[in-house]
């Protein structure tokens, strides 16, 4: 397999950025621009270009295959279009929560963006004993504003239909449908687990109650076209840091974006919060992650309620808003549980657990909590109830 | 406004059918073909072409406006594409429930189909005291097979995403969102009602409980992308009759088709069943419509369950099927209630009630039942419970 568009190499980047008009009025020579590749996700290539005395930029290009696998695992580069679309929508309503996007080159599936190299991946910060800072609040605001703006509340009926049509993302949705919402519950060659939870891994595969609830969450993921979602909002998709004394949080990599259930993003994030919390608790370190779910929900709910009076479709009344938010909450808990489980007995695991001296106890605890969240999601009315559940383990 | 495609007039039909290859091997002269216009829906034109000693055909063309209003009310003719798409999907799984479609001319938004002039509109048959015959069974089978084939159970994940994208139907969905799922509950110039229910019309506009439930059904209609639906499946969209001693039922006019909640078609049909039943009961005539809801549901459920073992996505388990069918049932009752209400206090009314010597009692009865169905849909577990509710009025 070969690409039928231009695959960028480090040496191409200065010329490419000039072509895209990035250095207008500031005509650096190629030799004035230092380029290095920092690709560390599974799918794409990322270059950082730093002009002498100029603003550095990141160029992210989607290859027509999975980067870490090569051409033998083809994947449509249109995921970059999904990513650009999501960034554009968020930029209109919550620009402070994402990187600045300077350019999207649809022909070559390349985004030119703010360089985030001065920030650190939230998961790494947490693994080193750091705290969430304002990340949970940023996630709540990000999800509320993106969800509202792209829901039937915030958009006209006709625009919504166009959004649904243009945002289908078959290949990346299929990854989620398989890796998160099916494989961990059946025998699959992708699955693996720490030996200490082999019993639970086997029990979950035979767990009919769990299977039915996951089937329900799976169908909601497939057919619940509520709003544009990020689609992969875990603690590895968030950068945090400090710029001139101000805390900065940037949510990135929304290439799994599509029109789906609002609760999915909150749930994925919370699954990762709970794993981080479990790690911190086992290590008995200084970090206290106890309130992150409440913080996220509080930011999400208050933001969504603040936007509600601006809805275009005023047929939806306040009582329906309450009902809708309850469903989002319940869905989110289910996806949180599914995320925890798949990160322990599925294909892709988490450094939060794997890097522990003895991953056993934390892994077991998180896995048990994951099931409880899926099964009892409708019986947990608020963050306090979730807190209580988690504290039992 | 003018059309930028060819608007067919009766005199064009013989030549048009020849162009479309309909008389291949049987070269009728224009003068051998009798054409007459039978347009009686609100939106489109329909011609019947009958060759001397040949098979007669129907040509249905969508105009770029609403036929009965003219160019001052523009409407995209792409509704004909939605109609052709739905027919194609049903033809693959339940061909006996729809007219034979010989040709779709996407350039001119024209369908050439089986002539159904020998059959009669079910609503007319019912209004004259006739029975449903096999219509409810046909509806159950039609909905089950179309729903299964175009759901995440019967289709691959990637094909489903393509179907969702290609099937968005903004203009016609907006009509439903407004006329069925909003206007009757707010003051709107479209609304009118029989003087005998003026009190209920006013009460329903102030009914907060009803408003919230309709908001919920509205959001499910907008965001519940379960399967391709007919979208306008009332008793005026069904032809029945007898051909060579065999009963024939044809469901037609699926131009409102889109990927929405499975329960919507069943609900629209049941709303019309209940109105017909109310008419028959008031007239104390020979027709007994008591079991039509049970008949439809029985046909739908047994057909859907029969298809279940053939599902492509075997992650969905039998327990999830039960849950899914319960939700379809509950949604359907809600849409049935909404259909009854909008047909009495909304824009478009029904001859079933309007043609009664005194429409008052039947109209009131149906309107009261409509509200009960919406409000208590989750408390009515089966057709027997609905039967009991209806019998109370």
């Amino acid at each position: 397999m070969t690409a039928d568009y231009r695959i960028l190499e480090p040496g191409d980047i200065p010329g490419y950025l000039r072509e895209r008009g990035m250095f207008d009025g500031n005509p650096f020579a190629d030799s004035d621009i230092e380029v290095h590749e920092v690709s560390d996700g599974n799918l794409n290539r990322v270059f950082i270009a730093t002009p002498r005395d100029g603003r550095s930029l990141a160029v992210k290009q989607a290859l027509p295959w999975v980067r870490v696998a090569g051409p033998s695992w083809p994947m449509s580069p249109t995921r970059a279009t999904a990513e650009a679309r999501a960034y554009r929508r968020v930029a209109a309503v919550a620009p402070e929560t994402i990187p600045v996007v300077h350019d999207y080159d649809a022909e070559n599936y390349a985004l030119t963006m703010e360089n985030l190299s001065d920030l650190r991946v939230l998961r790494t910060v947490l693994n080193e004993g750091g705290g969430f800072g304002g990340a949970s609040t940023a996630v709540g605001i990000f999800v509320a504003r993106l969800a509202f703006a792209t829901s039937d509340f915030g958009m006209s009926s006709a625009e919504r239909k166009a959004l649904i049509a243009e945002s289908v993302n078959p290949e990346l949705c299929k990854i989620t449908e398989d890796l998160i919402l099916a494989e961990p519950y059946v025998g699959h060659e992708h699955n693996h687990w720490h030996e200490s939870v082999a019993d639970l891994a086997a029990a979950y595969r035979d767990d009919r109650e769990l299977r039915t609830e996951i089937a329900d969450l799976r169908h909601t993921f497939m057919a619940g076209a509520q709003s544009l979602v990020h689609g992969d909002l875990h603690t590895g998709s968030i950068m945090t840091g400090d710029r001139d004394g101000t805390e900065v949080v940037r949510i990135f990599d929304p290439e799994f974006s599509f029109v789906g259930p609002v609760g999915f993003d909150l749930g994925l994030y919370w699954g990762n919060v709970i794993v981080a919390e479990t790690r911190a608790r086992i290590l008995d370190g200084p970090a206290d992650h106890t309130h992150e779910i409440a913080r996220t929900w509080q930011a999400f709910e208050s933001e969504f309620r603040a936007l509600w009076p601006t809805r275009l479709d005023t047929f939806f009344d306040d009582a329906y808003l309450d009902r809708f938010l309850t469903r989002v909450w319940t869905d989110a808990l289910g996806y949180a549980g599914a995320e925890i489980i798949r990160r322990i007995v599925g294909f892709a695991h988490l450094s939060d657990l794997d890097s522990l001296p003895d991953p056993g106890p934390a892994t077991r605890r998180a896995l048990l909590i994951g099931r409880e969240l899926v099964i009892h999601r409708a019986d947990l009315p608020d963050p306090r109830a979730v807190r209580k559940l988690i504290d039992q383990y």
Side-chain angles (χ1 to χ4, degrees), chain A residues 71-291:
Chain A
S72 66
W73 186 345
M75 175 172 287
S76 167
T78 54
R79 60 190 187 270
T81 307
E83 182 166 4
R85 180 186 302 116
Y87 276 141
R88 199 172 59 244
R89 294 279 174 185
V90 180
V93 292
E96 71 283 10
T97 63
I98 53 169
V100 177
V101 176
H102 298 291
D103 180 50
Y104 178 56
D105 170 6
E107 235 170 89
N108 294 301
Y109 306 102
L111 282 154
T112 303
M113 307 164 34
E114 175 186 358
N115 175 17
L116 302 178
S117 307
D118 60 317
L119 306 180
R120 303 187 66 218
V121 173
L122 177 58
R123 188 183 307 285
T124 311
V125 172
L126 298 171
N127 282 350
E128 293 175 2
F132 280 82
S136 296
T137 300
V139 167
I141 290 171
F142 171 98
V143 175
R145 292 199 190 156
L146 177 59
F148 184 84
T150 59
S151 71
D152 277 303
F153 314 128
M155 254 180 140
S156 80
S157 173
E159 278 180 309
R160 267 274 299 173
K161 272 66 170 176
L163 178 72
I164 288 172
E166 76 180 25
S167 305
V168 295
N169 197 351
E171 276 184 301
L172 279 76
C173 281
K174 185 74 166 69
I175 293 176
T176 302
E177 291 160 14
D178 290 348
L179 265 53
I180 305 187
L181 299 169
E183 290 174 8
Y185 309 93
V186 297
H188 195 286
E189 58 177 6
H190 280 164
N191 296 338
H192 59 109
W193 47 81
H194 189 265
E195 57 192 12
S196 64
V197 293
D199 59 331
L200 290 179
Y204 284 17
R205 283 197 304 277
D206 284 336
D207 188 330
R208 296 173 65 166
E209 195 182 359
L210 185 57
R211 166 75 166 257
T212 302
E213 297 303 334
I214 295 291
D216 196 348
L217 291 164
R218 177 176 168 84
H219 200 206
T220 298
F221 180 85
M222 290 168 148
Q226 292 180 338
S227 74
L228 204 66
V229 300
H230 177 289
D232 192 30
L233 213 177
H234 54 77
T235 51
S237 299
I238 301 171
M239 305 280 273
T240 61
D242 179 286
R243 282 179 180 169
D244 304 323
T246 301
E247 186 190 353
V248 170
V249 179
R250 296 283 184 269
I251 297 164
F252 64 104
D253 268 3
E255 64 202 336
F256 281 74
S257 179
F258 75 110
V259 176
V262 173
F264 188 73
D265 283 345
L266 295 172
L268 233 63
Y269 180 68
W270 288 343
N272 286 270
V273 164
I274 290 166
V275 170
E277 197 265 358
T278 297
R279 175 189 167 93
R281 190 181 288 227
I282 294 274
L283 290 177
D284 206 15
D288 175 12
H289 305 331
T290 310
H291 302 295

Side-chain angles (χ1 to χ4, degrees), chain A residues 136-141 144 266 270 291-306 325 329 382-383:
Chain A
S136 296
T137 300
V139 167
I141 290 171
L266 295 172
W270 288 343
H291 302 295
E292 297 307 324
I293 291 177
R295 261 180 207 131
T296 324
W297 182 253
Q298 202 271 329
F300 168 78
E301 184 182 9
S302 64
E303 193 66 26
F304 208 94
R305 288 189 183 279
L325 290 174
W329 164 259
D382 53 33

Side-chain angles (χ1 to χ4, degrees), chain A residues 304-364:
Chain A
F304 208 94
R305 288 189 183 279
L307 289 165
W308 188 249
T310 70
R311 67 196 179 281
L312 294 182
D313 190 333
T314 54
F315 189 81
F316 292 108
D317 61 338
D318 291 349
Y320 183 66
L321 171 62
D322 292 343
R323 188 181 296 191
F324 174 75
L325 290 174
T326 299
R327 287 184 187 151
V328 170
W329 164 259
T330 305
D331 287 349
L333 295 186
Y335 291 119
E339 168 71 357
I340 294 171
I341 293 170
R342 75 100 172 193
R343 292 294 198 176
I344 294 175
V345 302
F347 185 41
H349 289 207
L350 296 177
S351 57
D352 315 41
L353 296 172
D354 292 349
S355 66
L356 284 168
D358 172 11
T363 299
R364 188 169 200 86

